Amino acid sequence: MSALFEPYTLRSVTIPNRVWMAPMCQYSAEVFGPNAGVALDWHFAHYGARATGGTGLILLEATAVSPEGRISPFDLGIWNDTQVAALRRITEFLKAHGTVPGIQIAHAGRKASTERPWVNRGAPVGADEHGWQPLGPSPVPFRDDHPVPTELTVDQIHAIVGQFADAARRALDAGFEVVEVHGAHGYLIHEFLSPHSNQRTDAYGGSYENRTRFPLEVVDAVRAVWPEDKPLFFRVSATDWLDEGGWTADDTVRFARDLKEHGVDLLDVSSGGNATGVTIPVGPGYQAPFATRVKQEAGLPVAAVGLITEAKQAEKLLDNGEADAVLLGRELLRNPSWALHAARELDADIRVPNQYAWAI
């Protein structure tokens, strides 16, 4: 049997194959009024196409735990029940077509209040463009053209922990089977982890133990409300790609051991996003070695992501024990039916919708 199309079980949830969809922001939610952050028809069609295309697990894009936690005014949110109702429509369709629905819950931190990436290259937006003041662990802007974030007080940190827990409760109500905490790509949790962005001198900054305090508090709060029989993922940037003064691959392995003890079931291993001007050796599967280190040294299941585009490439990662699953990003944007094509190439069994079966 093809390793890529073997089912995979975490806690009580069985995912039909190892072809998973990475969270990718669509910047297409409702913007104004009481419906801000609500998923629209675009999201239903977008995720539905990947489900009918055979994807085993779909992790919905970074979904904000609060209005100020959005990357842009156009982001999905999960801070109220109106948003839950729209998301439930999506999860019901995904389940009906054999796909496990998951969601990534997130806070953008100092990288919040920006345009969509195809508008002015995602530049910051002000109050006159429906923007807001970003928050962060320290008053250190992401780039020179970004505003200086407001340093979070300890009370505000505790409040955000509660927002993540509330988001997980709503995710359950919306019908999701997997929840992922977004701790990567330079957003709030990653900002606390990295000494590059965290210059605090209190209990939430300085030492490794202090910098991981807020992320682990979030994980504990989410795990406390997320059912024991459902898996919890965490997305991490394995390295800041800085020569010094940043989060490192060694830190990630150490942190993975901590996350395992705190009830995380799988680490989604990406990289970068917290520092500008760095050189990243981009190439096919370039981030997979970080996932492999975590799997081998921390004993935590991992999903590899990053320029995984070919069926045999993905199969090899699993056959060699380098990862437990693969997360496809842009390749699934280009080809919603990637899993169906991969199954044919690898001579593997996969569920095909009746409407398509006659033509495949």
Side-chain angles (χ1 to χ4, degrees):
M1 178 182 288
S2 162
L4 193 58
F5 290 94
E6 288 182 359
Y8 189 63
T9 299
L10 288 166
R11 298 192 185 240
S12 69
V13 175
T14 298
I15 302 167
N17 60 53
R18 316 294 181 96
V19 180
W20 300 354
M21 183 175 181
M24 289 175 287
C25 290
Q26 296 299 291
Y27 305 100
S28 300
E30 182 61 70
V31 177
F32 305 106
N35 289 328
V38 170
L40 300 176
D41 286 347
W42 174 266
H43 300 92
F44 182 84
H46 171 65
Y47 292 114
R50 278 77 195 166
T52 57
T55 307
L57 167 70
I58 290 177
L59 288 170
L60 262 67
E61 62 205 79
T63 304
V65 301
S66 67
E68 61 273 15
R70 293 172 292 172
I71 303 167
S72 83
F74 302 88
D75 284 20
L76 285 183
I78 193 165
W79 64 80
N80 65 45
D81 294 339
T82 302
Q83 296 158 344
V84 167
L87 293 170
R88 191 179 297 121
R89 178 184 178 222
I90 295 172
T91 62
E92 289 174 351
F93 185 86
L94 268 54
K95 290 178 180 178
H97 290 277
T99 295
V100 173
I103 188 170
Q104 184 186 74
I105 54 177
H107 192 297
R110 66 177 183 165
K111 294 177 74 173
S113 191
T114 64
E115 252 296 358
R116 293 157 292 181
W118 59 85
V119 178
N120 200 19
R121 296 186 178 182
V125 297
D128 57 338
E129 300 171 286
H130 311 289
W132 58 94
Q133 172 61 27
L135 306 169
S138 303
V140 180
F142 173 58
R143 291 195 311 243
D144 291 342
D145 64 340
H146 278 230
V148 176
T150 299
E151 181 171 305
L152 289 161
T153 67
V154 171
D155 286 344
Q156 287 174 316
I157 292 171
H158 294 166
I160 292 172
V161 171
Q163 291 169 352
F164 272 94
D166 290 341
R169 289 191 192 94
R170 290 192 174 96
L172 181 65
D173 189 29
F176 290 98
E177 297 294 320
V178 175
V179 68
E180 175 174 275
V181 173
H182 195 355
H185 300 161
Y187 299 117
L188 186 64
I189 290 176
H190 185 182
E191 292 164 19
F192 270 88
L193 289 171
S194 174
H196 177 72
S197 45
N198 184 348
Q199 299 179 8
R200 300 176 73 97
T201 57
D202 63 2
Y204 289 93
S207 67
Y208 166 88
E209 289 78 10
N210 285 356
R211 287 183 284 108
T212 59
R213 189 182 308 278
F214 167 64
L216 291 176
E217 287 178 350
V218 168
V219 167
D220 288 344
V222 170
R223 185 76 268 179
V225 301
W226 192 243
E228 290 187 5
D229 64 341
K230 296 186 185 299
L232 171 61
F233 291 8
F234 190 99
R235 182 166 238 195
V236 67
S237 279
T239 175
D240 285 338
W241 296 105
L242 290 167
D243 293 333
E244 58 183 20
W247 183 257
T248 70
D250 289 341
D251 292 327
T252 294
V253 172
R254 181 180 179 183
F255 188 48
R257 297 187 184 109
D258 294 338
L259 290 170
K260 184 178 180 181
E261 292 181 359
H262 286 256
V264 167
D265 299 290
L266 180 140
L267 198 65
D268 169 0
V269 187
S270 188
S271 72
N274 196 41
T276 59
V278 296
T279 300
I280 301 176
V282 176
Y286 71 104
Q287 295 174 145
F290 297 121
T292 304
R293 273 201 65 188
V294 169
K295 181 175 173 64
Q296 293 176 346
E297 297 178 35
L300 186 65
V302 295
V305 63
L307 287 183
I308 298 170
T309 60
E310 303 294 334
K312 290 180 180 178
Q313 174 196 16
E315 180 84 351
K316 184 177 179 182
L317 286 170
L318 303 182
D319 277 340
N320 291 347
E322 298 173 67
D324 298 284
V326 295
L327 281 159
L328 275 64
R330 297 180 186 186
E331 191 62 21
L332 273 175
L333 295 184
R334 291 185 283 265
N335 181 4
S337 297
W338 189 93
L340 299 182
H341 295 298
R344 176 189 290 177
E345 180 178 343
L346 298 173
D347 194 26
D349 291 331
I350 189 173
R351 181 184 184 210
V352 181
N354 292 331
Q355 295 91 332
Y356 297 164
W358 65 274
I360 293 179

